[in-house]
Amino acid sequence: MRLARLLTPNGPVVGSYDDGTLYADDGVYEVGIDGRLLPPCEPSALYCVGRNYATTLEQMEYEQPEEPDFFIKPATSLIADGQSIPYPTWTDDLTYAGELVAVIDERCRNLTPEAVPDVVRGYTIMNDVDALDQAGRTARKAFDGSAPLGPWIETNVDPTELDMETYVGSEKRQDSNTELMLFDPYEIIAHLSRRFTLRPGDCIAFGSPENPGGIEPGETVEITYEGIGTLTNTVTDSSFP
């Protein structure tokens, strides 16, 4: 099942999604007619794992971590499928990263990997937008618009062996599979749950394979994960100071 959120003139509605139609408790809504897609959940935080593919370690000349290496994006970094990625005026080196994301369904902590499937609502896609020329991960990755998320949550998918690909314009930039992760999704969620109380709607992104090249205003980024869908956003000049 796909779960989505829609922004209507009367406020957000939540329901199951199928081929452009949202089925909510109070009626049926057509995406693009009755409203636009929102990020598919409302996290208190997005926990993002880095250095989780060997190809990324090689690209960035990183050491392989002994345990999952992570940082946090705030909820204000979220934008929805179809919304514009802002190109901030304070960077000259913006890039993308196509990542699989788990959405937590219940308050939990101190999980074992075996218990993780019971607390996950489903999986979605994030573009970890990164201003590479800034100092420190928070400055690079936690600004407004740096976390396109969506387009929906897929509740019936095995995250451990999914093909993925990313296109920037007509050029394929990423082509990989989640089986190549150094730490699998269940290990990562269990690891984070020993440090943080995870809340319903919280997001955990599992890192990105090698992502050559940057992005420029006018370019469209399309990230596809098998069994989930495609997250699509276009880069635009920012209104940031």
Side-chain angles (χ1 to χ4, degrees):
M1 178 186 294
R2 289 174 172 174
L3 305 174
R5 298 173 64 237
L6 194 72
L7 180 61
T8 75
N10 295 320
V13 294
V14 181
S16 62
Y17 175 90
D18 183 44
D19 195 24
T21 302
L22 186 81
Y23 299 90
D25 289 342
D26 63 347
V28 177
Y29 298 84
E30 298 297 325
V31 177
I33 297 173
D34 299 313
R36 66 166 179 84
L37 287 173
L38 289 166
C41 55
E42 297 181 273
S44 64
L46 295 88
Y47 301 93
C48 303
V49 171
R51 299 194 288 171
N52 199 31
Y53 284 82
T55 55
T56 303
L57 301 182
E58 294 167 5
Q59 178 193 14
M60 303 301 290
E61 300 182 353
Y62 291 149
E63 294 294 324
Q64 181 169 329
E66 295 183 1
E67 59 184 26
D69 170 57
F70 63 89
F71 59 97
I72 298 174
K73 287 181 184 263
T76 53
S77 65
L78 285 175
I79 60 172
D81 176 72
Q83 288 190 286
S84 296
I85 298 170
Y87 198 117
T89 58
W90 37 258
T91 181
D92 294 312
D93 194 2
L94 200 67
T95 191
Y96 60 92
E99 306 200 7
L100 179 68
V101 175
V103 180
I104 299 299
D105 198 39
E106 61 184 66
R107 186 181 177 93
C108 56
R109 65 190 308 259
N110 292 324
L111 299 169
T112 64
E114 293 75 21
V116 166
D118 292 335
V119 304
V120 172
R121 184 179 306 169
Y123 294 86
T124 188
I125 303 165
M126 185 182 78
N127 185 351
D128 176 21
V129 179
D130 186 346
L132 289 170
D133 55 359
Q134 302 301 295
R137 276 179 166 168
T138 300
R140 284 173 46 188
K141 294 172 172 282
F143 55 90
D144 288 2
S146 64
L149 188 76
W152 42 69
I153 298 167
E154 174 56 60
T155 64
N156 184 26
V157 66
D158 179 349
T160 60
E161 194 174 346
L162 299 178
D163 288 330
M164 69 81 65
E165 60 183 20
T166 298
Y167 279 83
V168 177
S170 60
E171 180 184 3
K172 183 184 285 191
R173 297 278 187 88
Q174 294 183 291
D175 189 353
S176 191
N177 189 287
T178 59
E179 69 177 348
L180 299 176
M181 291 179 180
L182 301 176
F183 302 99
D184 72 40
Y186 305 137
E187 292 178 279
I188 289 169
I189 295 173
H191 176 81
L192 291 172
S193 77
R194 292 192 289 272
R195 289 154 174 78
F196 306 101
T197 298
L198 303 176
R199 301 178 180 181
D202 282 354
C203 293
I204 299 172
F206 302 114
S208 169
E210 179 186 9
N211 53 329
I215 49 177
E216 299 291 341
E219 292 185 320
T220 297
V221 184
E222 296 178 290
I223 302 166
T224 300
Y225 272 83
E226 175 189 6
I228 299 175
T230 301
L231 173 67
T232 303
N233 301 88
T234 298
V235 185
T236 61
D237 288 317
S238 175
S239 60
F240 292 163

